[in-house]
Amino acid sequence: MEPIRVAITGSSGRMGRALLEALAEAPDLRLHAALDRPGSPVLGRDAGELIGAPNGVSVTDDLAAALDGAQVLIDFTRPEGTLEHLRAATLRGVNLVIGTTGFTDAQRREIADAARTIAIVQAPNFSVGVNLALKLLDLAARVLSQGYDVEIVEAHHRHKVDAPSGTALRMGEVVAQALGRDLRECAVYGREGITGARPDKTIGFATVRGGDIVGEHTVIFAGIGERLEISHKASSRATFAQGALRAARFVAGRPAGLFDMQDVLGLR
Ligand code: NAD
């Protein structure tokens, strides 16, 4: 079988390089084009050079040319960039894997609209472990629905620009849904000063930023006399890149629709 032709955006980024490394090791996928934002210092360079293994594909900012002939576009950039890539991919019928986080509700709606034309896998976290954790959280929340306070703590590297992480918010949504609550109404983002006692039925978020932490999430169910913690720690971006490649295989040639990693992993 012919390898699936994959284009990537954000080639110079942390996830872009992890994707280049993962693609170089995947015989069933081929790097069709490597994009980066206009003005990026890596434009015109061999994409493989960025990971020390030249591959003859030059990094470009020409979105139309890069998508021509591509089957799947994998995008880990910034919300405004992703929306631009989404519009171009929709016009050309190229399916999409979206790893970017930090979207507004309006941007999410635009992604959902595009998924009526192309197939899209969108997930705030592409690791298998985190997606299994989401299933475990649903179960834990149902069993611990009375008398347990839920708090979510996440930690990431010093360069991360959005908070709480998309993964922490997704974890909050899963727990809130299992408890019959609306996260928009029950979330508490950080605390300071004389806060008073913890209101019942809230879900608290705390954020740590520092150094090179790849991504850590802990959901605490704190009751009287016991505490359950469900934790995930990513030690390398390779786990997200491998998950994104699984999503690319899943979405290639698929008819329009909006999917997430639960669909890709068969966890639904
Ligand atoms: P990064 O800053 O290292 O890289 C970002 C890349 O995007 C760079 O190559 C940059 O040139 C490019 N870019 C920035 N703005 C752009 C624009 N407007 N148009 C086109 N390209 C643009 O970031 P990173 O650590 O690689 O993370 C990228 C995104 O992926 C973030 O939103 C992050 O939260 C998310 N992320 C998601 C997962 C997941 O599993 N879903 C895992 C890790 C990171």
Coordinates of all heavy atoms in Angstrom, one line a residue, residues 125-199:
N125 N -5.1 16.3 24.1 CA -4.0 15.4 24.5 C -4.1 14.1 23.7 O -5.1 13.4 23.7 CB -4.1 15.1 26.0 CG -2.8 14.6 26.5 OD1 -2.2 13.6 26.0 ND2 -2.2 15.2 27.5
F126 N -3.0 13.8 23.0 CA -3.0 12.7 22.1 C -2.3 11.4 22.7 O -2.1 10.4 22.1 CB -2.3 13.0 20.8 CG -3.2 13.7 19.8 CD1 -3.3 15.1 19.8 CD2 -4.0 13.0 18.9 CE1 -4.2 15.7 18.9 CE2 -4.9 13.6 18.1 CZ -5.0 15.0 18.1
S127 N -2.0 11.5 24.0 CA -1.3 10.3 24.6 C -2.4 9.3 25.0 O -3.5 9.6 25.4 CB -0.5 10.7 25.9 OG -1.3 10.6 27.0
V128 N -2.0 8.0 24.8 CA -2.9 6.9 25.2 C -3.3 6.9 26.6 O -4.4 6.7 27.0 CB -2.3 5.6 24.8 CG1 -3.2 4.4 25.2 CG2 -2.0 5.5 23.3
G129 N -2.2 7.2 27.5 CA -2.4 7.2 28.9 C -3.5 8.2 29.4 O -4.3 7.9 30.2
V130 N -3.4 9.4 28.8 CA -4.4 10.5 29.2 C -5.8 10.1 28.8 O -6.7 10.3 29.5 CB -4.0 11.8 28.7 CG1 -5.2 12.8 28.6 CG2 -2.9 12.5 29.6
N131 N -5.9 9.5 27.6 CA -7.2 9.2 27.1 C -7.8 8.0 27.9 O -9.0 8.0 28.1 CB -7.2 8.9 25.6 CG -7.1 10.2 24.9 OD1 -8.1 10.9 24.7 ND2 -5.9 10.6 24.5
L132 N -7.0 7.1 28.4 CA -7.5 6.1 29.3 C -7.9 6.7 30.6 O -8.9 6.4 31.2 CB -6.4 5.0 29.5 CG -6.7 4.0 30.6 CD1 -8.0 3.2 30.2 CD2 -5.6 3.0 30.7
A133 N -7.0 7.7 31.1 CA -7.4 8.4 32.3 C -8.7 9.1 32.3 O -9.5 9.1 33.2 CB -6.3 9.4 32.6
L134 N -9.1 9.6 31.1 CA -10.4 10.2 30.9 C -11.5 9.2 31.2 O -12.6 9.5 31.8 CB -10.6 10.8 29.5 CG -9.7 12.0 29.2 CD1 -9.9 12.4 27.8 CD2 -10.0 13.2 30.2
K135 N -11.3 7.9 30.7 CA -12.3 6.9 31.0 C -12.4 6.6 32.5 O -13.4 6.4 33.1 CB -11.9 5.6 30.3 CG -12.1 5.6 28.8 CD -13.5 5.8 28.4 CE -14.3 4.5 28.4 NZ -15.7 4.7 27.8
L136 N -11.2 6.5 33.1 CA -11.1 6.2 34.6 C -11.8 7.3 35.4 O -12.4 7.0 36.4 CB -9.7 6.0 35.0 CG -8.9 4.9 34.3 CD1 -7.4 4.9 34.8 CD2 -9.5 3.5 34.6
L137 N -11.6 8.5 34.9 CA -12.2 9.7 35.6 C -13.7 9.6 35.6 O -14.4 10.0 36.6 CB -11.7 11.0 35.0 CG -10.3 11.4 35.3 CD1 -9.8 12.5 34.5 CD2 -10.2 11.7 36.8
D138 N -14.2 9.2 34.4 CA -15.7 9.1 34.3 C -16.2 8.1 35.4 O -17.2 8.4 36.1 CB -16.0 8.7 32.9 CG -17.5 8.5 32.7 OD1 -18.2 9.5 32.7 OD2 -18.0 7.3 32.6
L139 N -15.5 7.0 35.5 CA -16.0 5.9 36.4 C -15.8 6.5 37.9 O -16.7 6.3 38.7 CB -15.1 4.7 36.2 CG -15.3 3.5 37.2 CD1 -16.8 3.0 37.0 CD2 -14.4 2.4 36.9
A140 N -14.6 7.1 38.1 CA -14.4 7.5 39.5 C -15.4 8.6 39.9 O -15.9 8.5 41.0 CB -13.0 8.1 39.6
A141 N -15.7 9.5 39.0 CA -16.7 10.6 39.4 C -18.1 10.0 39.7 O -18.8 10.4 40.6 CB -16.8 11.6 38.2
R142 N -18.5 9.0 38.9 CA -19.8 8.3 39.1 C -19.8 7.6 40.5 O -20.8 7.7 41.2 CB -20.1 7.4 38.0 CG -20.5 8.1 36.7 CD -20.7 7.1 35.6 NE -20.5 7.8 34.3 CZ -21.5 8.6 33.8 NH1 -22.7 8.7 34.4 NH2 -21.3 9.2 32.7
V143 N -18.7 6.9 40.8 CA -18.7 6.2 42.1 C -18.6 7.2 43.3 O -19.2 7.0 44.3 CB -17.5 5.2 42.1 CG1 -17.4 4.5 43.5 CG2 -17.8 4.1 41.0
L144 N -17.8 8.2 43.1 CA -17.5 9.2 44.2 C -18.4 10.4 44.1 O -17.9 11.6 44.3 CB -16.0 9.5 44.2 CG -15.1 8.4 44.3 CD1 -13.6 8.8 44.2 CD2 -15.3 7.5 45.5
S145 N -19.6 10.3 43.7 CA -20.4 11.5 43.3 C -20.9 12.2 44.6 O -21.3 13.4 44.5 CB -21.6 11.0 42.5 OG -22.4 10.1 43.3
Q146 N -20.9 11.6 45.8 CA -21.3 12.3 47.0 C -20.2 12.4 48.0 O -19.5 11.4 48.3 CB -22.5 11.5 47.7 CG -23.7 11.3 46.8 CD -24.4 12.6 46.5 OE1 -24.4 13.5 47.3 NE2 -25.0 12.7 45.3
G147 N -20.0 13.6 48.5 CA -19.0 13.7 49.6 C -17.5 13.8 49.2 O -16.7 13.8 50.1
Y148 N -17.3 14.0 47.9 CA -15.9 14.1 47.5 C -15.7 15.4 46.7 O -16.5 15.7 45.8 CB -15.5 12.9 46.6 CG -15.4 11.6 47.4 CD1 -16.5 10.9 47.7 CD2 -14.1 11.1 47.8 CE1 -16.5 9.7 48.4 CE2 -14.1 10.0 48.5 CZ -15.2 9.3 48.9 OH -15.1 8.1 49.6
D149 N -14.6 16.2 47.1 CA -14.3 17.4 46.4 C -13.3 17.1 45.3 O -12.4 16.3 45.5 CB -13.6 18.4 47.4 CG -14.6 18.7 48.5 OD1 -15.8 18.8 48.3 OD2 -14.0 18.9 49.7
V150 N -13.6 17.7 44.1 CA -12.7 17.4 43.0 C -11.8 18.6 42.7 O -12.3 19.8 42.6 CB -13.5 17.1 41.7 CG1 -12.6 16.7 40.5 CG2 -14.5 16.0 42.0
E151 N -10.5 18.4 42.6 CA -9.5 19.4 42.4 C -8.6 18.9 41.3 O -8.2 17.7 41.3 CB -8.7 19.7 43.6 CG -9.5 20.3 44.8 CD -9.7 21.8 44.5 OE1 -8.8 22.5 44.2 OE2 -10.9 22.2 44.7
I152 N -8.2 19.7 40.3 CA -7.4 19.3 39.2 C -6.1 20.2 39.2 O -6.2 21.4 39.2 CB -8.1 19.5 37.9 CG1 -9.4 18.6 37.9 CG2 -7.2 19.1 36.7 CD1 -10.3 18.7 36.7
V153 N -4.9 19.5 39.2 CA -3.7 20.2 39.3 C -2.9 19.8 38.0 O -2.8 18.6 37.7 CB -2.8 19.8 40.5 CG1 -1.5 20.6 40.6 CG2 -3.7 19.9 41.8
E154 N -2.4 20.8 37.3 CA -1.6 20.5 36.1 C -0.3 21.2 36.1 O -0.2 22.4 36.7 CB -2.4 20.8 34.8 CG -2.8 22.2 34.7 CD -2.0 23.0 33.7 OE1 -0.8 22.6 33.5 OE2 -2.5 24.0 33.2
A155 N 0.8 20.7 35.5 CA 2.1 21.3 35.4 C 2.6 21.2 34.0 O 2.6 20.1 33.4 CB 3.0 20.7 36.4
H156 N 3.2 22.3 33.5 CA 3.8 22.3 32.2 C 5.1 23.2 32.2 O 5.3 24.0 33.1 CB 2.8 22.8 31.1 CG 1.8 21.8 30.7 ND1 0.7 21.6 31.3 CD2 1.9 20.9 29.7 CE1 0.0 20.6 30.7 NE2 0.7 20.2 29.7
H157 N 5.8 23.1 31.1 CA 7.1 23.9 30.9 C 6.8 25.4 30.9 O 5.7 25.8 30.7 CB 7.7 23.4 29.6 CG 6.8 23.5 28.4 ND1 6.6 24.6 27.7 CD2 5.9 22.6 27.9 CE1 5.7 24.4 26.7 NE2 5.2 23.2 26.9
R158 N 7.9 26.1 31.0 CA 7.7 27.6 31.2 C 7.3 28.3 29.9 O 6.9 29.5 30.0 CB 9.1 28.2 31.6 CG 10.2 27.9 30.7 CD 11.4 28.8 31.0 NE 12.1 28.4 32.2 CZ 13.3 28.0 32.3 NH1 14.1 28.0 31.2 NH2 13.9 27.6 33.4
H159 N 7.3 27.6 28.8 CA 6.9 28.3 27.5 C 5.4 28.2 27.2 O 4.9 28.8 26.3 CB 7.7 27.7 26.3 CG 9.2 27.8 26.5 ND1 9.8 29.0 26.4 CD2 10.1 26.9 26.8 CE1 11.1 28.8 26.6 NE2 11.3 27.5 26.8
K160 N 4.7 27.4 27.9 CA 3.3 27.2 27.6 C 2.5 28.5 27.8 O 2.6 29.2 28.8 CB 2.7 26.0 28.5 CG 1.2 25.7 28.1 CD 0.8 24.4 28.6 CE -0.6 24.1 28.2 NZ -0.9 24.0 26.8
V161 N 1.6 28.8 26.8 CA 1.0 30.1 26.8 C -0.5 30.1 27.3 O -1.0 31.1 27.5 CB 1.0 30.8 25.3 CG1 2.5 31.0 24.9 CG2 0.3 29.9 24.3
D162 N -1.1 28.9 27.4 CA -2.5 28.9 27.8 C -2.6 28.2 29.2 O -1.8 27.3 29.5 CB -3.4 28.3 26.8 CG -3.0 26.9 26.3 OD1 -1.8 26.7 26.1 OD2 -3.8 26.0 26.1
A163 N -3.6 28.6 30.0 CA -3.8 27.9 31.3 C -5.3 28.0 31.7 O -5.9 29.1 31.4 CB -2.9 28.6 32.3
P164 N -5.9 27.0 32.4 CA -5.3 25.7 32.6 C -5.1 25.0 31.2 O -5.7 25.4 30.2 CB -6.3 25.0 33.4 CG -7.3 25.9 33.8 CD -7.2 27.1 32.9
S165 N -4.3 23.9 31.2 CA -4.1 23.2 29.9 C -5.4 22.7 29.4 O -6.4 22.5 30.1 CB -3.2 22.0 30.2 OG -3.9 21.0 30.9
G166 N -5.4 22.5 28.0 CA -6.6 21.9 27.4 C -6.9 20.6 28.0 O -8.1 20.2 28.1
T167 N -5.9 19.8 28.4 CA -6.1 18.5 29.0 C -6.8 18.6 30.3 O -7.8 17.9 30.6 CB -4.8 17.8 29.1 OG1 -4.2 17.7 27.9 CG2 -5.0 16.4 29.7
A168 N -6.4 19.6 31.1 CA -7.0 19.8 32.5 C -8.5 20.1 32.3 O -9.4 19.6 33.0 CB -6.3 20.8 33.2
L169 N -8.7 21.0 31.3 CA -10.1 21.4 31.1 C -11.0 20.2 30.6 O -12.1 20.1 31.0 CB -10.2 22.5 30.0 CG -9.6 23.9 30.5 CD1 -9.4 24.8 29.3 CD2 -10.5 24.5 31.6
R170 N -10.4 19.4 29.7 CA -11.1 18.2 29.2 C -11.4 17.3 30.4 O -12.5 16.7 30.5 CB -10.3 17.5 28.2 CG -11.0 16.3 27.5 CD -12.0 16.8 26.5 NE -13.0 15.7 26.2 CZ -14.2 15.8 26.6 NH1 -14.8 16.8 27.3 NH2 -15.0 14.8 26.3
M171 N -10.4 17.1 31.3 CA -10.6 16.3 32.5 C -11.8 16.8 33.3 O -12.6 16.1 33.8 CB -9.3 16.2 33.3 CG -8.3 15.3 32.6 SD -6.7 15.4 33.5 CE -6.0 13.8 32.9
G172 N -11.8 18.2 33.5 CA -12.9 18.8 34.2 C -14.2 18.6 33.6 O -15.2 18.3 34.3
E173 N -14.2 18.7 32.3 CA -15.5 18.5 31.5 C -16.0 17.0 31.7 O -17.2 16.8 32.0 CB -15.3 18.7 30.0 CG -15.3 20.1 29.6 CD -14.8 20.4 28.2 OE1 -14.5 19.4 27.5 OE2 -14.6 21.5 27.8
V174 N -15.1 16.1 31.7 CA -15.5 14.7 31.8 C -16.1 14.4 33.2 O -17.2 13.8 33.4 CB -14.3 13.7 31.6 CG1 -14.6 12.3 32.1 CG2 -14.0 13.7 30.1
V175 N -15.4 15.0 34.3 CA -15.9 14.8 35.6 C -17.2 15.5 35.8 O -18.2 15.0 36.4 CB -14.8 15.3 36.7 CG1 -15.4 15.4 38.1 CG2 -13.6 14.5 36.6
A176 N -17.3 16.8 35.3 CA -18.5 17.6 35.5 C -19.7 16.8 34.8 O -20.8 16.7 35.4 CB -18.4 19.0 34.9
Q177 N -19.5 16.3 33.6 CA -20.5 15.6 32.9 C -21.0 14.4 33.7 O -22.2 14.2 33.9 CB -20.1 15.2 31.5 CG -21.2 14.9 30.6 CD -20.7 14.6 29.2 OE1 -19.5 14.5 29.0 NE2 -21.6 14.6 28.2
A178 N -20.0 13.6 34.2 CA -20.4 12.4 35.0 C -21.2 12.8 36.2 O -22.0 12.0 36.7 CB -19.1 11.7 35.4
L179 N -21.0 14.0 36.8 CA -21.6 14.4 38.0 C -22.9 15.2 37.7 O -23.6 15.8 38.6 CB -20.7 15.3 38.8 CG -19.5 14.6 39.4 CD1 -18.5 15.6 40.0 CD2 -19.9 13.5 40.4
G180 N -23.2 15.4 36.4 CA -24.4 16.2 36.1 C -24.3 17.7 36.3 O -25.2 18.4 36.5
R181 N -23.0 18.2 36.2 CA -22.8 19.6 36.4 C -22.3 20.2 35.1 O -21.8 19.5 34.2 CB -21.7 19.8 37.5 CG -22.0 19.3 38.8 CD -20.9 19.5 39.8 NE -21.0 18.6 40.9 CZ -20.0 18.4 41.8 NH1 -18.9 18.9 41.7 NH2 -20.2 17.5 42.8
D182 N -22.3 21.5 35.0 CA -21.8 22.3 33.8 C -20.5 22.9 34.3 O -20.5 23.7 35.2 CB -22.8 23.3 33.4 CG -22.4 24.1 32.2 OD1 -21.2 24.0 31.8 OD2 -23.2 24.7 31.5
L183 N -19.4 22.5 33.6 CA -18.1 23.0 34.0 C -18.0 24.6 34.0 O -17.4 25.2 34.9 CB -17.0 22.5 33.2 CG -15.5 22.8 33.7 CD1 -15.3 22.1 35.0 CD2 -14.5 22.4 32.6
R184 N -18.7 25.2 33.1 CA -18.7 26.7 33.0 C -19.2 27.3 34.3 O -18.9 28.4 34.6 CB -19.5 27.1 31.8 CG -18.7 27.0 30.5 CD -19.5 27.2 29.3 NE -20.7 26.3 29.3 CZ -21.5 26.1 28.2 NH1 -21.4 26.9 27.2 NH2 -22.5 25.2 28.3
E185 N -20.1 26.6 34.9 CA -20.7 27.1 36.1 C -20.0 26.7 37.4 O -20.1 27.4 38.4 CB -22.2 26.7 36.2 CG -23.1 27.5 35.3 CD -24.4 26.8 35.0 OE1 -24.8 25.9 35.7 OE2 -25.0 27.1 33.9
C186 N -19.3 25.6 37.4 CA -18.8 25.1 38.7 C -17.2 25.2 38.8 O -16.7 24.9 39.8 CB -19.2 23.6 39.0 SG -18.6 22.4 37.8
A187 N -16.6 25.6 37.7 CA -15.1 25.7 37.7 C -14.6 26.9 38.6 O -15.2 27.9 38.5 CB -14.5 25.8 36.3
V188 N -13.5 26.6 39.4 CA -12.9 27.7 40.1 C -11.4 27.7 39.7 O -10.7 26.7 39.9 CB -13.0 27.5 41.6 CG1 -12.2 28.5 42.4 CG2 -14.4 27.5 42.1
Y189 N -11.0 28.8 39.0 CA -9.6 28.8 38.5 C -8.7 29.6 39.4 O -8.6 30.8 39.3 CB -9.7 29.5 37.1 CG -10.5 28.7 36.1 CD1 -11.7 29.2 35.6 CD2 -10.1 27.4 35.6 CE1 -12.5 28.4 34.7 CE2 -10.8 26.7 34.7 CZ -12.0 27.2 34.3 OH -12.8 26.4 33.4
G190 N -8.0 28.9 40.3 CA -7.1 29.5 41.2 C -7.8 30.2 42.4 O -9.0 30.5 42.3
R191 N -7.1 30.3 43.5 CA -7.7 30.9 44.7 C -6.6 31.9 45.3 O -5.4 31.7 45.2 CB -8.0 29.9 45.7 CG -9.1 28.9 45.2 CD -9.5 27.9 46.3 NE -10.5 27.0 45.9 CZ -10.2 25.8 45.3 NH1 -9.0 25.4 45.2 NH2 -11.2 25.0 44.9
E192 N -7.1 32.9 45.9 CA -6.2 33.9 46.6 C -7.0 34.6 47.7 O -8.2 34.8 47.6 CB -5.8 34.9 45.5 CG -4.6 35.7 46.0 CD -4.3 36.9 45.0 OE1 -5.1 37.2 44.2 OE2 -3.2 37.4 45.1
G193 N -6.3 35.0 48.8 CA -6.9 35.8 49.8 C -7.9 35.0 50.7 O -7.8 33.8 50.8
I194 N -8.8 35.8 51.3 CA -9.8 35.2 52.2 C -10.9 34.6 51.3 O -11.8 35.3 51.0 CB -10.4 36.2 53.2 CG1 -9.2 37.0 53.9 CG2 -11.3 35.5 54.2 CD1 -8.3 36.2 54.7
T195 N -10.8 33.4 51.0 CA -11.7 32.8 50.0 C -13.0 32.2 50.6 O -14.0 32.0 50.0 CB -11.1 31.6 49.3 OG1 -10.7 30.6 50.2 CG2 -9.8 32.1 48.5
G196 N -13.0 32.1 52.0 CA -14.1 31.4 52.6 C -14.0 29.9 52.4 O -13.0 29.4 51.7
A197 N -14.9 29.1 53.0 CA -14.8 27.7 52.9 C -15.1 27.3 51.4 O -15.7 28.0 50.7 CB -15.8 27.0 53.8
R198 N -14.6 26.1 51.1 CA -14.8 25.6 49.7 C -16.3 25.4 49.4 O -16.9 24.5 50.1 CB -14.0 24.3 49.6 CG -14.0 23.8 48.2 CD -13.3 22.4 48.1 NE -13.0 22.0 46.8 CZ -13.8 21.6 45.9 NH1 -15.1 21.5 46.2 NH2 -13.4 21.2 44.7
P199 N -16.9 26.0 48.4 CA -18.3 25.7 48.1 C -18.4 24.3 47.6 O -17.5 23.8 46.8 CB -18.6 26.7 47.0 CG -17.5 27.8 47.0 CD -16.3 27.1 47.5

